[in-house]
Amino acid sequence: MENMVFAEELVREFLVFRGFTNTLQAFVKELGTDIGKGFQVDKILDLIFSIYIPKFQAENLIQLLRFFNNCFSSHETHLVSVISELDISIIRYYIIHAIQAGRKDKVIELFDIHGTELLQKDQHWASWFAIPYIKTPKSEPQFRLYFSKEWSNALHLSLRNFLTKMFNGTRIPALMKISSERNMVSRLKGDIKQLNFKLAQLQVLLEEKETQLHHNSLLATEVIVGTDSSSNPLAGSGEPTVFVPASSHVICVSASAQAGEREPKHSEDIRPDDTQVSTSKISNHSGQNTGNDVQREEEFPEVRVDFQETFLGHTSPISRCRFSATGDNVASASVDGTVRIWTYDSSAPTSRNATIYCGAEIMLLEWECKSDRLLLIGTADGGIKAWNVDAKRVVCDLSCTEAFPSVLDLKCSPVEPIFVSAAASRWPGSSDIGKLGYASLTVWNMRTWKAMTVLPLGEDPPPITSVCFNHNGKLLAAAATDGMIHMFDMSAGLQITGWPAHDSAISSVLFGSDETSIFTLGIDGKIFEWSLQNQGEVLWSSDCSRFCNLRSSSHNKHEMALDAYGRRLLVTSNSLRAPIYQVRGHAYGMRTLPHSASITTVDWHPTSSIFLTGSADHSVRVTSMA
């Protein structure tokens, strides 16, 4: 009965909820003297043969046998007779043990108290009443069998088999099925997650194969066209050619270049100063205008949607929106200083739904990574609040120091009860994140809500705009306004490495899903994926400056989000749609369905192909990709 403890906790919770204190006390008392030992066969056998019989606790033994008689009284007639036979055998075992231990007084005591009851059950007990007065009962033919080791072993085995059969066949109460069903749902969710991951891998493989086939066909076409042109005796003579128009060769080269754009850059092709996207190089090499690439990017297909829900609870532009650790809840904030906690799934409980009034513009939201219990809120006036979603109240209200009044990012450790705050020495002005003074990185304890340590950044360091933990919380990546990436060892509290990633300030930083790379988004709209194994090596890059160039934006800071499989990168946008890039893939990206204003914040569901977009039109959308 592995779900017994869970059912007992539910009963306790219900009794407390209803205020049945007397019933609760009686329930707890009976649990403390659980005579049935939670229907665990080994514990029951130990109770009988290791405690009650060796210590001559006849009353407790009789009470236990009555308990099982009551439990199994509703079963078939032949099982009831088996129960009766086992009762008789267990009491006889008690008597034999007492005789062998020289405690005939315990046998006489048993017969004095329960003799009449035993005779009513079985008349054969009459001959056993003489056993305390027989000098050597072991030599008597009618008792000799019960003194043998074989009989006691057979009794142990028979009782074990019987109890196992009865407990396995006992009808399980509906209350105990809740835990089983919950465990089954958890297993099914795990299976679904694994299957989704396999499906994603197969989709990527399929896209690679399709692109490879398309690329090979284009190359074959180019070769055929070139051969025909050179072998045609009329070519170059000024007379028209039937097989090859004058522009055909150029078209084929351009198409081949397009196929090449989908191939990732190899590490040996990237130099330290090579920060241009590979598509630009290939297009320039083929003599095509880079504007054609921009046009193709603008023609990203609209994302295929399974379902989309729109939340209209805010009255001001959305500043942040985040899925909770499980993905069941969403927290969204607006510039009017309110935070809404809600769920998009009609089957999910709405008990945690709430509206939080903070009195200042909300700049940051961060859920506790281990559960959905705590939500950290960063405000424009330098405050950090911790909201308990179960208690529906603020459990901590921190204020930054006067030296660093501006909080730029908050991140919780995925393992330890700590979070890191990135602060600057000046208030943010307009959209220029490059004029924020100096930086400070503070590690906070989420149990005491006190600062633990300040990570070293050197003398007068530029502001840290974005931080990110790796999967086990041992590494912290921090991106700065001078374009540098800083890596910290959290166990030692020291910076271990760093490298220049952008020529301008970095707006957002993320670890890749396989923990072997790190993504950075600059305020100039350039995205790079950096190798953590070969520091400074670019694995993938893209230019989304049309969508999220801070120099032409009213946003304080653009951000990006990586899906659970590490294949798609969603970026905020100055326009009505946000781009979704295929990371290191061979396919072009996609565009989200349009809002009616710019997209200010994005996030991905932790396990599914579902993403969030918050907009300056006051709406938040949950979109599931088909």
Side-chain angles (χ1 to χ4, degrees):
M1 300 294 179
E2 59 182 9
N3 301 320
M4 187 79 70
V5 175
F6 181 76
E8 291 168 358
E9 289 298 326
L10 291 180
V11 174
R12 277 198 189 95
E13 183 180 357
F14 176 76
L15 294 177
V16 171
F17 175 75
R18 292 299 308 274
F20 296 154
T21 55
N22 293 333
T23 307
L24 177 63
Q25 291 175 1
F27 178 65
V28 172
K29 183 179 179 181
E30 291 196 358
L31 282 179
T33 59
D34 181 13
I35 192 172
K37 294 299 177 184
F39 295 153
Q40 298 181 64
V41 175
D42 290 332
K43 289 188 176 181
I44 294 173
L45 294 177
D46 286 342
L47 194 65
I48 294 174
F49 296 110
S50 300
I51 298 176
Y52 289 168
I53 292 178
K55 296 183 179 181
F56 307 107
Q57 298 178 9
E59 283 301 318
N60 290 336
L61 181 63
I62 296 296
Q63 187 179 0
L64 178 63
L65 295 179
R66 287 174 181 169
F67 171 77
F68 286 126
N69 270 293
N70 293 332
C71 287
F72 304 140
S73 59
S74 61
H75 287 73
E76 294 85 349
T77 305
H78 72 281
L79 291 178
V80 174
S81 63
V82 173
I83 296 170
S84 177
E85 290 293 334
L86 285 173
D87 284 355
I88 294 172
S89 297
I90 292 171
I91 296 173
R92 288 176 177 175
Y93 183 87
Y94 174 87
I95 295 171
I96 298 300
H97 178 77
I99 294 294
Q100 289 177 326
R103 297 298 303 272
K104 292 184 179 182
D105 60 312
K106 292 296 181 180
V107 181
I108 296 172
E109 180 183 327
L110 173 68
F111 287 145
D112 286 344
I113 299 174
H114 300 286
T116 304
E117 180 184 349
L118 293 175
L119 279 173
Q120 289 175 352
K121 289 183 178 180
D122 190 348
Q123 293 300 320
H124 291 91
W125 278 108
S127 59
W128 281 78
F129 287 177
I131 196 170
Y133 308 102
I134 300 175
K135 188 174 182 178
T136 56
K138 184 176 182 179
S139 61
E140 295 294 324
Q142 66 183 64
F143 301 124
R144 185 182 299 124
L145 170 66
Y146 302 103
F147 285 90
S148 66
K149 188 69 174 175
E150 291 78 6
W151 180 80
S152 63
N153 290 340
L155 175 62
H156 278 77
L157 182 60
S158 299
L159 182 59
R160 175 183 290 277
N161 292 340
F162 176 76
L163 292 177
T164 301
K165 176 179 175 59
M166 296 303 292
F167 293 156
N168 289 340
T170 301
R171 185 185 68 84
I172 299 176
L175 190 63
M176 293 178 62
K177 293 180 180 178
I178 296 176
S179 180
S180 300
E181 292 173 355
R182 186 184 66 166
N183 293 336
M184 181 180 296
V185 170
S186 298
R187 288 195 297 270
L188 291 175
K189 284 184 177 179
D191 293 341
I192 290 172
K193 184 177 179 180
Q194 292 180 355
L195 291 173
N196 283 335
F197 180 72
K198 292 181 179 178
L199 177 61
Q201 290 180 320
L202 292 174
Q203 286 176 338
V204 171
L205 182 61
L206 179 61
E207 290 172 356
E208 291 177 352
K209 295 296 184 182
E210 288 178 347
T211 305
Q212 185 178 0
L213 289 174
H214 181 64
H215 179 61
N216 291 339
S217 64
L218 290 174
L219 288 177
T221 304
E222 181 182 354
V223 170
I224 293 172
V225 170
T227 303
D228 288 346
S229 177
S230 60
S231 60
N232 189 348
L234 299 178
S237 62
E239 297 185 19
T241 171
V242 177
F243 301 103
V244 186
S247 60
S248 296
H249 184 66
V250 176
I251 292 173
C252 291
V253 172
S254 176
S256 178
Q258 292 179 27
E261 289 170 10
R262 302 187 181 111
E263 295 292 335
K265 295 176 73 173
H266 298 289
S267 58
E268 60 268 19
D269 295 332
I270 300 173
R271 299 185 299 276
D273 59 345
D274 184 5
T275 57
Q276 297 298 319
V277 185
S278 59
T279 54
S280 300
K281 283 192 170 185
I282 295 173
S283 299
N284 290 335
H285 179 71
S286 63
Q288 301 301 305
N289 192 310
T290 55
N292 293 337
D293 295 314
V294 174
Q295 185 178 4
R296 284 195 296 273
E297 190 174 5
E298 288 176 345
E299 293 171 356
F300 280 177
E302 192 173 77
V303 64
R304 291 177 296 175
V305 173
D306 184 23
F307 72 83
Q308 185 175 83
E309 299 289 341
T310 302
F311 180 73
L312 300 174
H314 292 282
T315 58
S316 297
I318 308 301
S319 56
R320 282 292 181 273
C321 60
R322 292 290 184 267
F323 278 111
S324 62
T326 62
D328 294 335
N329 297 103
V330 174
S332 55
S334 59
V335 298
D336 62 2
T338 60
V339 177
R340 298 291 186 101
I341 298 176
W342 46 280
T343 179
Y344 63 94
D345 188 352
S346 59
S347 63
T350 58
S351 58
R352 291 182 168 184
N353 289 8
T355 301
I356 310 165
Y357 298 92
C358 298
E361 180 180 350
I362 311 299
M363 307 296 291
L364 304 163
L365 292 176
E366 174 72 1
W367 286 90
E368 180 190 23
C369 296
K370 282 192 171 182
S371 69
D372 293 354
R373 191 172 59 90
L374 288 176
L375 174 68
L376 299 182
I377 304 169
T379 59
D381 59 0
I384 301 174
K385 302 178 187 293
W387 174 265
N388 188 307
V389 295
D390 292 328
K392 290 192 174 182
R393 64 185 181 91
V394 174
V395 294
C396 182
D397 196 348
L398 304 173
S399 294
C400 294
T401 62
E402 295 181 1
F404 298 96
S406 178
V407 182
L408 301 181
D409 203 6
L410 297 172
K411 282 296 183 297
C412 290
S413 168
V415 178
E416 301 294 332
I418 62 173
F419 73 91
V420 173
S421 65
S425 61
R426 298 178 189 170
W427 294 98
S430 67
S431 61
D432 191 352
I433 66 174
K435 297 180 180 179
L436 293 169
Y438 303 121
S440 174
L441 277 179
T442 306
V443 183
W444 301 82
N445 189 311
M446 296 179 68
R447 290 174 179 166
T448 63
W449 299 108
K450 294 182 179 179
M452 296 171 56
T453 184
V454 176
L455 298 177
L457 288 169
E459 185 177 355
D460 298 336
I464 300 297
T465 57
S466 179
V467 292
C468 183
F469 281 97
N470 72 332
H471 72 289
N472 58 16
K474 293 183 179 180
L475 293 179
L476 178 77
T481 56
D482 62 352
M484 286 287 296
I485 299 175
H486 304 272
M487 300 292 292
F488 292 88
D489 181 349
M490 293 303 294
S491 59
L494 297 174
Q495 182 172 340
I496 54 176
T497 187
W499 67 92
H502 289 258
D503 295 330
S504 58
I506 301 176
S507 181
S508 182
V509 63
L510 290 173
F511 274 98
S513 60
D514 57 1
E515 304 290 339
T516 61
S517 64
I518 192 166
F519 291 85
T520 57
L521 168 64
I523 65 170
D524 56 1
K526 292 180 180 178
I527 304 174
F528 294 105
E529 181 185 11
W530 300 91
S531 172
L532 292 178
Q533 298 170 341
N534 299 313
Q535 185 173 311
E537 178 186 349
V538 177
L539 301 176
W540 175 80
S541 63
S542 186
D543 188 345
C544 62
S545 56
R546 293 181 308 103
F547 292 102
C548 62
N549 191 337
L550 270 182
R551 293 165 182 165
S552 61
S553 169
S554 61
H555 298 181
N556 287 326
K557 187 174 71 170
H558 277 287
E559 62 180 9
M560 56 184 174
L562 194 64
D563 73 347
Y565 314 110
R567 296 189 301 112
R568 297 186 177 100
L569 193 71
L570 176 62
V571 187
T572 51
S573 174
N574 298 337
S575 65
L576 308 184
R577 299 173 181 266
I580 305 176
Y581 290 96
Q582 184 83 17
V583 177
R584 276 192 273 173
H586 302 283
Y588 286 111
M590 294 170 285
R591 293 185 299 168
T592 64
L593 272 61
H595 282 264
S596 57
S598 61
I599 297 174
T600 55
T601 178
V602 294
D603 194 26
W604 279 98
H605 190 282
T607 58
S608 304
S609 295
I610 302 174
F611 60 85
L612 279 175
T613 52
S615 173
D617 65 6
H618 311 175
S619 69
V620 181
R621 284 184 178 173
V622 182
T623 306
S624 175
M625 297 179 63

